[in-house]
Amino acid sequence: MLLKICDVDSFKAFFDLIYDSTNIVELKLDQEACRMSLLNDSHVCFYECEYQSDFFVEYQVDNIESVLLFVADFYNIIKTAKSSDMIELSTNDYSLKIVIEHDYNRRVFNIPLAEDYGDTPTPPSLAYNGSFTVSLKDLKQPCVDLDKIIKTDRFKMITRQGELYIVSPNDSMTKYEQLIPIDADVAACSIVNLHYINDLQKLSKINNNVELFIGDDIPVSWQIVDCSGVITVKGLIAPIMEEE
């Protein structure tokens, strides 16, 4: 395997999102794409990404390959790369070689690969009421308001007639509501942990918009695709049930 990456920020973005979610992640590579999927350690979120071969400056993969990374080791290295750097990844049977290069400045790391990894569960197929696209910037302020002012970790979404309402949970002493217009007529209500919604800001280097799939009291799915269509990041967030 040999991968060369010049769009460093877009590649790092997925690891910015998942670096503290799991110890090991599997890179599944074939001639079409590099893919990763994982269930976080708390079993609340599922993450999945695909970097198509066209994303890479150079992409050499023989048939199907699997690379098991210790996430912390890998992330601690690539997070030091600047947007103007080139990252090169190559493997032998036991280690991953990481080269970070800019002009004549060249840093080389070799980290061990993991040997054992359980299968990542497949997320369930869900019947959503619908989906809509919203700006990550529009989601940022309600996350701050709910966390810092309302003092809740619940992100409650109610959609109807082309409008998204983000509101405080029923048991909040201080009531809160923010209205965001959306280009979809979806009627649903769902509550998830706001920190997982706020974490989507880490993917803004890929795209500033996220598509949310919502239904009543079922997991919220989301998807972010870059403008050229070569990067897709998806996720699933378990719901929080609210007492009346």
Side-chain angles (χ1 to χ4, degrees):
M1 178 200 83
L2 174 64
L3 310 179
K4 289 187 178 180
I5 303 151
C6 67
D7 187 354
V8 172
D9 289 341
S10 293
F11 185 71
K12 287 195 300 183
F14 183 70
F15 290 93
D16 288 336
L17 180 67
I18 63 102
Y19 77 93
D20 59 352
S21 295
T22 187
N23 293 324
I24 298 172
V25 67
E26 181 182 15
L27 273 66
K28 296 181 180 179
L29 305 108
D30 56 30
Q31 294 181 349
E32 295 180 353
C34 170
R35 302 177 179 90
M36 289 170 273
S37 61
L38 65 127
L39 182 66
N40 73 342
D41 289 342
S42 60
H43 291 194
V44 173
C45 292
F46 179 83
Y47 300 111
E48 182 178 6
C49 75
E50 177 181 286
Y51 290 87
Q52 295 180 15
S53 59
D54 288 344
F55 168 78
F56 301 90
V57 176
E58 187 171 347
Y59 187 84
Q60 296 181 18
V61 175
D62 297 327
N63 299 318
I64 298 175
E65 297 189 35
S66 173
V67 179
L68 297 179
L69 297 179
F70 290 109
V71 175
D73 292 347
F74 184 70
Y75 180 69
N76 286 335
I77 293 171
I78 66 165
K79 73 178 182 181
T80 68
K82 299 179 177 62
S83 57
S84 56
D85 289 345
M86 174 81 74
I87 296 178
E88 178 182 305
L89 307 176
S90 59
T91 55
N92 57 33
D93 291 339
Y94 306 104
S95 68
L96 174 71
K97 181 180 179 181
I98 307 169
V99 179
I100 301 176
E101 189 169 7
H102 179 72
D103 294 333
Y104 298 104
N105 188 323
R106 178 181 173 92
R107 296 183 291 147
V108 181
F109 304 87
N110 278 280
I111 59 174
L113 295 175
E115 296 181 359
D116 298 318
Y117 183 72
D119 292 334
T120 299
T122 301
S125 177
L126 299 168
Y128 289 102
N129 295 26
S131 69
F132 57 91
T133 299
V134 64
S135 166
L136 291 175
K137 293 180 180 179
D138 285 341
L139 296 179
K140 185 174 182 177
Q141 189 61 55
C143 285
V144 173
D145 292 342
L146 290 166
D147 182 28
K148 303 300 183 183
I149 300 174
I150 308 303
K151 306 296 185 182
T152 182
D153 63 356
R154 296 183 181 185
F155 193 90
K156 182 175 181 179
M157 293 179 283
I158 300 173
T159 56
R160 57 177 180 265
Q161 297 178 339
E163 294 176 327
L164 166 64
Y165 293 89
I166 300 168
V167 303
S168 53
N170 290 344
D171 58 1
S172 295
M173 295 296 293
T174 301
K175 301 304 179 184
Y176 173 85
E177 177 181 296
Q178 178 165 344
L179 167 63
I180 301 173
I182 55 174
D183 188 18
D185 188 4
V186 181
C189 177
S190 187
I191 306 173
V192 295
N193 188 300
L194 72 84
H195 299 296
Y196 296 119
I197 295 292
N198 194 46
D199 277 349
L200 298 181
Q201 302 293 330
K202 298 173 181 177
L203 299 175
S204 61
K205 295 291 185 180
I206 296 175
N207 199 318
N208 284 314
N209 295 318
V210 59
E211 184 177 9
L212 296 175
F213 300 81
I214 190 171
D216 294 317
D217 298 325
I218 61 175
V220 171
S221 289
W222 56 267
Q223 175 175 276
I224 293 177
V225 182
D226 78 308
C227 295
S228 60
V230 298
I231 307 171
T232 301
V233 185
K234 301 177 181 179
L236 191 74
I237 309 172
I240 298 172
M241 300 304 174
E242 183 176 52
E243 295 182 1
E244 297 296 335

